[in-house]
Amino acid sequence: MARNTNTQTVEKPSFLMAFLPLLLAVILVAVQVFYYGDVSPHVPLALGIVITATFGWYRGYRWKEMQDGMFNVIHVALPAIFILYTIGMIIGTWIHAGTVPLMIYWGLQVLDPGYFLFAACIICSIVSVATGTSWGTTGTMGLALIGIGEGLGIPVHMTAGAVVSGAFFGDKMSPLSDTTNFSPAVVGSNLFTHIRNMLPVTIPAMVLALGAYLYFGLSFADGNINNAKLEATVNTLQSEFNLSFIVLLPAVVVTYLAVTKKPALPGLFSGVLVGGVCAMAVQGAGLHDIFNTVLNGYKSNTGVAEVDSLLSKGGIMSMNWTVTLILIALAFGGLLEATRCLETILDTILTFAKTQASLLLSALASVFGIHIVTGDVFLAMALPGRMFAPAFRGKGIHPTALSRSMEDAGTLSAPLIPWSAGGVFVAGTLGVATLAYLPWAIACWASLLIDIAYAITGAFIPKATEEDFSEWQDRDEAVLIDGEMVPGSQIEASALRLS
């Protein structure tokens, strides 16, 4: 067919033509996950790009136009990608400095039979916030707590639920987490603004979870801790690291810079520098050791398997699996956007989502639905994030309302879906079926329910400001007004409902 020389002459596709590339990509991901049992969706998503580009070429798009669409979206996420690599450096240097070992050591001191479930959730929260990884926390500290809980006679599914609540809460709220950096980057928001706006959902969800763990856990108050593995872990941390208060300095520096609203990337990299200095000054590491830790992560060789598994983490290279998946998922989303497929799908959804409440609920349902179908959290965040962000801007809703929905329906639902990457990992690692621990992963499903309640009532829905609008103009972010997608540079603030 004849090629168009101007993208503007290419009409929006029909709903079938827009939805079919997405559906085929979803089917490929499902085959990879369910048939082959491989939780790496990189190749199926890359094939989704090929399928979408083929459909786009057939409809009249040139490759240059489609390539620009992919790269434009990737460009928006580059700060988050650099942050992820910085996070890898932080994890390695903070372990080497003794910062993470000290947090773990303190966490293990609060164990008591009657408060075990409560403490397990708190411990996993601390470790997950410190490391930014729910999987790492579940596979190390969570696994150790499962063994301790069994020794105390506590049902394993209850312990697993408390572990999952704490680990994924920490993942959601940690500035070191990949999804916590990814979601605001997709919608065009700031990392620490995103984290602050998750507090109205996260705090009540965790209070509810901890209250339940405390209430039900008191029935096990007569148990006694006598666990050799726990003692070995505590003793090894004491012998291998200098656990003085000074090793908390990297965390204090990063927290201070975050609270004072300094830019995320230099603030986090300051944590790398301070962590490296602490590792040399307090733990006696050499400069070359620090360089190697920054690149390849910390390698623990204590001889205690639980400790070595817990602390052998971090480094730039540890982030490559996540970063490559993010790049492919964003390129896929950018191509769907460039060929106007997302515009057609969004138009269809918005015919039913006229109000703020229906828009918020549609976003939650889209993230959760894609997650259930594909089992991939990044795809579940990337596509709705790109689809709904213009509509949120058009209604004057701050994009963190969308990124919060993406976290609650994406990050926190991951361990609750048996066939998702998160559900497969947690069930396989802890040896507990997903549906068995699901009722006790209270913080995960409670967050989603609270978000739904806020969407319906309008409570705690952040509004966009004049300053936000100026940023949209500077970045030329798309805004959906009266059913038309308008570049941010071409609209006036008066056209939006700004607070």
Side-chain angles (χ1 to χ4, degrees):
M1 62 181 293
R3 313 306 314 146
N4 285 303
T5 58
N6 187 343
T7 301
Q8 299 300 320
T9 65
V10 181
E11 295 182 356
K12 287 193 296 186
S14 65
F15 180 79
L16 178 61
M17 184 66 75
F19 186 68
L20 194 54
L22 176 59
L23 177 62
L24 293 174
V26 166
I27 291 173
L28 289 173
V29 173
V31 169
Q32 174 86 333
V33 173
F34 303 130
Y35 184 77
Y36 293 114
D38 188 338
V39 296
S40 299
H42 299 62
V43 175
L45 289 181
L47 291 175
I49 293 175
V50 174
I51 293 169
T52 306
T54 302
F55 274 65
W57 177 86
Y58 175 79
R59 289 174 42 225
Y61 286 95
R62 295 172 299 178
W63 171 247
K64 178 65 166 56
E65 296 162 344
M66 294 188 286
Q67 176 179 274
D68 288 345
M70 291 189 291
F71 288 171
N72 286 340
V73 175
I74 290 174
H75 176 75
V76 172
L78 283 178
I81 289 171
F82 279 105
I83 286 175
L84 285 175
Y85 279 125
T86 305
I87 289 167
M89 302 181 210
I90 280 184
I91 293 172
T93 55
W94 285 21
I95 293 175
H96 208 152
T99 307
V100 172
L102 178 61
M103 293 179 179
I104 296 171
Y105 176 80
W106 281 349
L108 291 175
Q109 304 308 303
V110 304
L111 287 176
D112 180 89
Y115 303 98
F116 175 77
L117 293 174
F118 179 90
C121 184
I122 293 291
I123 291 170
C124 288
S125 297
I126 293 172
V127 175
S128 196
V129 169
T131 62
T133 168
S134 54
W135 286 29
T137 302
T138 301
T140 53
M141 185 59 67
L143 193 58
L145 289 168
I146 286 290
I148 296 170
E150 285 184 306
L152 296 173
I154 297 174
V156 68
H157 59 276
M158 295 176 68
T159 303
V163 166
V164 168
S165 283
F168 283 82
F169 157 82
D171 190 307
K172 175 187 175 184
M173 298 305 297
S174 174
L176 310 183
S177 166
D178 49 7
T179 55
T180 306
N181 281 272
F182 180 65
S183 51
V186 170
V187 303
S189 183
N190 174 270
L191 169 63
F192 294 116
T193 302
H194 166 66
I195 292 175
R196 284 195 300 272
N197 280 320
M198 288 195 292
L199 293 176
V201 171
T202 305
I203 290 176
M206 277 301 288
V207 169
L208 177 63
L210 291 174
Y213 298 144
L214 188 60
Y215 176 78
F216 290 103
L218 289 176
S219 61
F220 304 105
D222 294 333
N224 294 302
I225 291 182
N226 182 18
N227 191 285
K229 289 185 179 180
L230 174 61
E231 293 178 2
T233 298
V234 171
N235 294 335
T236 302
L237 291 175
Q238 283 182 307
S239 62
E240 293 293 325
F241 295 93
N242 181 349
L243 299 179
S244 65
F245 283 94
I246 192 65
V247 300
L248 291 177
L249 186 58
V252 171
V253 169
V254 169
T255 302
Y256 170 77
L257 294 175
V259 170
T260 54
K261 300 182 181 180
K262 297 299 187 293
L265 187 57
L268 291 172
F269 195 76
S270 298
V272 177
L273 296 177
V274 178
V277 171
C278 280
M280 291 190 289
V282 180
Q283 309 300 342
L287 181 61
H288 185 261
D289 296 329
I290 300 303
F291 286 172
N292 187 59
T293 294
V294 168
L295 179 63
N296 298 308
Y298 183 78
K299 306 301 179 187
S300 177
N301 295 297
T302 66
V304 179
E306 290 77 11
V307 174
D308 291 339
S309 176
L310 182 64
L311 299 182
S312 296
K313 299 188 182 303
I316 293 172
M317 303 306 290
S318 69
M319 290 294 171
N320 282 336
W321 191 95
T322 298
V323 167
T324 52
L325 178 56
I326 288 174
L327 290 173
I328 295 171
L330 284 177
F332 182 39
L335 186 56
L336 288 169
E337 184 175 16
T339 55
R340 305 184 73 181
C341 293
L342 292 188
E343 190 176 346
T344 294
I345 295 172
L346 180 60
D347 286 346
T348 303
I349 294 174
L350 291 180
T351 58
F352 305 99
K354 297 294 186 181
T355 65
Q356 173 179 285
S358 59
L359 181 63
L360 289 163
L361 292 172
S362 296
L364 280 166
S366 297
V367 176
F368 191 62
I370 294 175
H371 200 177
I372 286 178
V373 173
T374 66
D376 177 54
V377 67
F378 289 105
L379 184 59
M381 287 182 168
L383 295 183
R386 296 306 300 176
M387 281 196 298
F388 284 94
F392 273 64
R393 297 187 194 103
K395 286 189 177 294
I397 305 174
H398 199 282
T400 53
L402 175 57
S403 59
R404 183 176 73 189
S405 298
M406 291 158 58
E407 290 269 25
D408 292 330
T411 302
L412 293 186
S413 72
L416 308 182
I417 302 171
W419 51 85
S420 74
V424 169
F425 174 81
V426 172
T429 300
L430 300 183
V432 184
T434 305
L435 297 181
Y437 67 71
L438 187 153
W440 294 97
I442 299 171
C444 295
W445 52 258
S447 293
L448 183 56
L449 294 180
I450 292 170
D451 221 345
I452 292 173
Y454 288 167
I456 295 173
T457 62
F460 297 104
I461 304 301
K463 301 298 183 181
T465 64
E466 295 281 354
E467 182 181 352
D468 296 320
F469 173 73
S470 296
E471 292 182 3
W472 301 344
Q473 283 188 315
D474 293 340
R475 295 197 301 262
D476 202 23
E477 296 277 12
V479 180
L480 189 71
I481 301 179
D482 297 327
E484 292 295 328
M485 201 77 76
V486 183
S489 59
Q490 297 179 16
I491 59 175
E492 299 294 331
S494 59
L496 307 179
R497 305 173 190 172
L498 300 179
S499 60

